[in-house]
């Protein structure tokens, strides 16, 4: 597999937001098939690292769904959106600045603590199980615009999760992967048991 040609093909199937925000890089030394770092607010580009020696072992349909899912998760991480936690973080930062200008150490500590708590909560939401499931479902929706049916897309993504684990030499799936697989089985009609919303 020629990495440049495959990168070009992957960019073609991505949504427009993915083409703008992400960058695919070849990283042959990594043990994972595909890897990303948690995107921080000051990172304008969100790199996706692929080991193309391992990547080529996946069927094309599985590669399509994995890249769509990865892009959906990366673009789904939003630091700046109207939300109570973003509001608390902004209020905490402004409060800390005001207290600092008034040389009130207790006020600075309280406002700084409030900001830290809000940022921690934003990070936890973006790393949650629900964000993983949302990324899977968003990838399936985009795949439907690329010619896949909902059932086919769910089956390919399900197979991809299991195949990647085997390629990477892992004997078992992670807890999050098991939950994702159960949800994908329900979407694909392979199981009548889905994932409870309150999980």
């Amino acid at each position: 597999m020629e990495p440049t040609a495959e990168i070009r093909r992957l960019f073609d199937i991505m949504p427009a937001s993915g083409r703008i925000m992400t960058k695919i890089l070849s990283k042959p030394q990594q043990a994972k098939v595909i890897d990303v770092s948690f995107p921080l607010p000051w990172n304008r580009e969100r790199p996706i690292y692929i080991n193309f020696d391992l990547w080529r072992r996946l069927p094309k349909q599985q590669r399509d769904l994995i890249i769509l899912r990865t892009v959906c998760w990366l673009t789904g991480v939003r630091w700046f959106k109207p939300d109570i936690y973003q509001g608390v973080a902004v209020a905490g930062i402004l409060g800390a600045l005001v207290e600092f200008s008034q040389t009130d150490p207790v006020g600075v500590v309280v406002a700084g603590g409030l900001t830290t708590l809000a940022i921690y909560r934003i990070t936890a939401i973006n790393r949650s199980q629900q964000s993983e499931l949302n990324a899977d479902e968003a990838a399936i929706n985009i795949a439907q615009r690329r010619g896949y049916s909902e059932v086919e897309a769910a089956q390919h993504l399900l197979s991809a999760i299991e195949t990647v684990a085997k390629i990477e030499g892992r004997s078992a799936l992670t807890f999050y992967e098991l939950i994702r697989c159960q949800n994908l089985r329900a979407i694909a009609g392979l199981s009548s048991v889905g994932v409870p919303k309150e999980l």
Side-chain angles (χ1 to χ4, degrees):
M1 176 180 289
E2 209 283 297
T4 307
E6 177 68 358
I7 289 170
R8 201 164 35 247
R9 188 187 74 79
L10 295 174
F11 268 112
D12 286 342
I13 65 168
M14 280 185 194
S17 59
R19 291 184 200 126
I20 294 166
M21 294 177 71
T22 63
K23 184 177 185 179
I24 299 174
L25 301 168
S26 176
K27 195 172 181 184
Q29 67 272 26
Q30 75 182 15
K32 291 185 174 183
V33 174
I34 187 168
D35 195 22
V36 293
S37 299
F38 185 76
L40 297 170
W42 51 84
N43 296 130
R44 293 193 60 191
E45 275 192 341
R46 299 179 177 189
I48 300 170
Y49 301 102
I50 297 177
N51 180 336
F52 285 98
D53 292 331
L54 303 177
W55 182 255
R56 64 184 171 80
R57 297 188 202 174
L58 293 161
K60 177 180 168 289
Q61 295 88 348
Q62 291 182 17
R63 297 195 311 261
D64 289 354
L65 267 298
I66 287 176
I67 198 68
L68 288 176
R69 192 262 170 202
T70 303
V71 168
C72 288
W73 182 79
L74 281 173
T75 57
V77 174
R78 299 241 172 91
W79 285 94
F80 307 107
K81 64 178 180 178
D83 189 321
I84 188 165
Y85 298 111
Q86 280 80 0
V88 170
V90 169
I93 290 168
L94 294 176
L97 292 173
V98 169
E99 297 299 331
F100 184 76
S101 69
Q102 295 177 353
T103 61
D104 179 2
V106 174
V108 171
V109 169
V110 170
L114 189 63
T115 303
T116 303
L117 183 64
I119 290 172
Y120 171 79
R121 189 67 188 127
I122 293 166
T123 305
I125 290 168
N126 285 318
R127 289 180 183 266
S128 71
Q129 175 66 55
Q130 192 57 52
S131 74
E132 300 277 343
L133 297 177
N134 290 345
D136 287 345
E137 290 171 16
I140 289 168
N141 289 336
I142 294 166
Q144 288 178 275
R145 298 197 296 265
R146 305 294 186 265
Y148 293 92
S149 71
E150 182 182 37
V151 170
E152 284 175 336
Q155 287 174 340
H156 290 312
L157 187 51
L158 173 63
S159 300
I161 293 168
E162 295 165 347
T163 306
V164 164
K166 287 177 188 169
I167 290 171
E168 292 175 354
R170 292 188 277 131
S171 57
L173 299 176
T174 65
F175 175 73
Y176 275 12
E177 287 172 333
L178 289 170
I179 297 295
R180 289 175 58 209
C181 286
Q182 185 57 45
N183 191 52
L184 290 168
R185 282 189 191 96
I187 294 170
L190 302 173
S191 172
S192 58
V193 180
V195 177
K197 289 291 182 191
E198 58 275 3
L199 181 64

